[in-house]
Amino acid sequence: MKLTLKIWRQKDARSKGKLVDYPIDGIEGDMSFLEMLDVLNEELNNKGEEPVEFDHDCREGICGTCSLQINGEPHGPDRLTTTCQLHMRKFKDGDTIYIEPFRATAFPVIKDLVVDRSAFDRIQQAGGFISVNTSGNTVDANAIPIPKQDADLAMDNATCIGCGACVAACKNASAMLFTSAKISQLALLPQGRIEAVERVENMVRQMDLEGFGNCTNTGACEVECPKGISLESIARMNREYMGAITKG
Ligand code: SF4
Ligand code: FES
């Protein structure tokens, strides 16, 4: 395939960025989107030009770093698929592909396609954990019986990879799908109930402090989430929050 890539280039957080055209040839349908960018970067390197900076790590849909806006959609045109698992067969010979960083005030651009998503880390640090005494004997994992439905729901929420596509898809740049997944994975389990009140208060407060917008039930986050996190998680977080402030 012969393609035209229009890629966002930006020197650093303070510089102005712009879309730059890169024609590219010889792209195979079974290449991943990141492999296609590797080909481009090799060409740029060989020409003595600066390669395009983009985030990636596992390349198998686990780590959540490969966050790109492709033709206006976070992670591109496939549903339930991260950028690293998107294949070039989704595009046609002669296509023009726009590649941009995730856009949100709380995700400032570091360089080219790389954004700073440490706001998510700070939300997680505000309460996305349980406190366990690790001295003494290890507690048997099956010592607390948990209804299968709760275990399944907690597991569904635990699949959130913190990629930020929900924020990039949302017209309000809301982080409520991410935050609610991190709250839900613990709120649904007895081990997570002990600190549930402080958790939801602290994580929601941190989410607001980071400058993310609010949820207006548009649902774009759920559509673009590569892990299929449901809007029900946001409803659960809201219930947890209402319960917490009522108790508080
Ligand atoms: S909720 Fe989905 S889109 Fe948002 S960070 Fe988690 S995996 Fe990514
Ligand atoms: S590189 Fe890890 S999820 Fe894509």
Side-chain angles (χ1 to χ4, degrees):
M1 277 188 287
K2 214 173 177 171
L3 304 163
T4 303
L5 307 177
K6 287 183 178 284
I7 302 182
W8 186 260
R9 302 298 315 254
Q10 185 170 337
K11 199 163 161 274
D12 53 44
R14 282 175 305 280
S15 310
K16 241 181 145 181
K18 61 172 186 198
L19 286 166
V20 178
D21 284 12
Y22 295 99
I24 190 166
D25 203 351
I27 299 302
E28 308 280 344
D30 55 6
M31 279 181 183
S32 76
F33 200 84
L34 297 188
E35 283 167 345
M36 182 274 294
L37 288 177
D38 290 340
V39 171
L40 171 72
N41 274 347
E42 214 169 305
E43 281 178 16
L44 293 176
N45 255 330
N46 292 341
K47 286 194 273 185
E49 292 178 32
E50 202 170 342
V52 177
E53 295 278 344
F54 63 94
D55 251 345
H56 60 102
D57 189 6
C58 70
R59 296 198 174 205
E60 51 186 17
I62 298 168
C63 71
T65 56
C66 62
S67 302
L68 296 179
Q69 192 85 347
I70 302 164
N71 286 343
E73 278 190 273
H75 295 296
D78 258 355
R79 297 282 77 86
L80 302 174
T81 305
T82 52
T83 298
C84 60
Q85 296 196 302
L86 175 66
H87 282 92
M88 292 312 294
R89 65 179 78 97
K90 274 280 151 187
F91 301 91
K92 295 190 307 292
D93 185 38
D95 271 0
T96 297
I97 307 174
Y98 288 80
I99 310 169
E100 296 170 81
F102 279 0
R103 308 278 186 193
T105 309
F107 288 166
V109 173
I110 296 173
K111 188 171 183 188
D112 295 338
L113 304 171
V114 180
V115 298
D116 180 357
R117 279 171 296 163
S118 56
F120 269 13
D121 297 337
R122 290 186 290 276
I123 295 172
Q124 187 69 353
Q125 285 159 4
F129 51 81
I130 56 165
S131 304
V132 184
N133 187 352
T134 53
S135 62
N137 289 340
T138 316
V139 180
D140 185 337
N142 296 323
I144 307 171
I146 295 167
K148 168 108 174 72
Q149 198 192 358
D150 291 350
D152 286 351
L153 265 177
M155 191 60 209
D156 288 349
N157 282 281
T159 60
C160 165
I161 53 174
C163 63
C166 44
V167 174
C170 176
K171 62 181 181 178
N172 311 317
S174 166
M176 286 183 83
L177 198 66
F178 163 78
T179 309
S180 66
K182 298 301 174 194
I183 286 171
S184 292
Q185 68 181 2
L186 299 173
L188 286 156
L189 302 176
Q191 296 93 328
R193 293 309 316 166
I194 301 158
E195 293 152 303
V197 169
E198 296 94 319
R199 175 179 306 113
V200 70
E201 283 182 347
N202 293 340
M203 291 179 80
V204 168
R205 184 181 306 119
Q206 191 62 38
M207 179 182 78
D208 290 341
L209 281 174
E210 297 293 346
F212 292 106
N214 224 324
C215 173
T216 47
N217 294 318
T218 311
C221 55
E222 185 185 63
V223 173
E224 299 293 354
C225 173
K227 297 298 161 184
I229 304 295
S230 161
L231 280 181
E232 282 174 24
S233 299
I234 297 183
R236 183 177 303 103
M237 178 174 79
N238 287 339
R239 285 197 300 276
E240 289 279 317
Y241 189 72
M242 286 307 290
I245 59 169
T246 310
K247 275 183 200 153

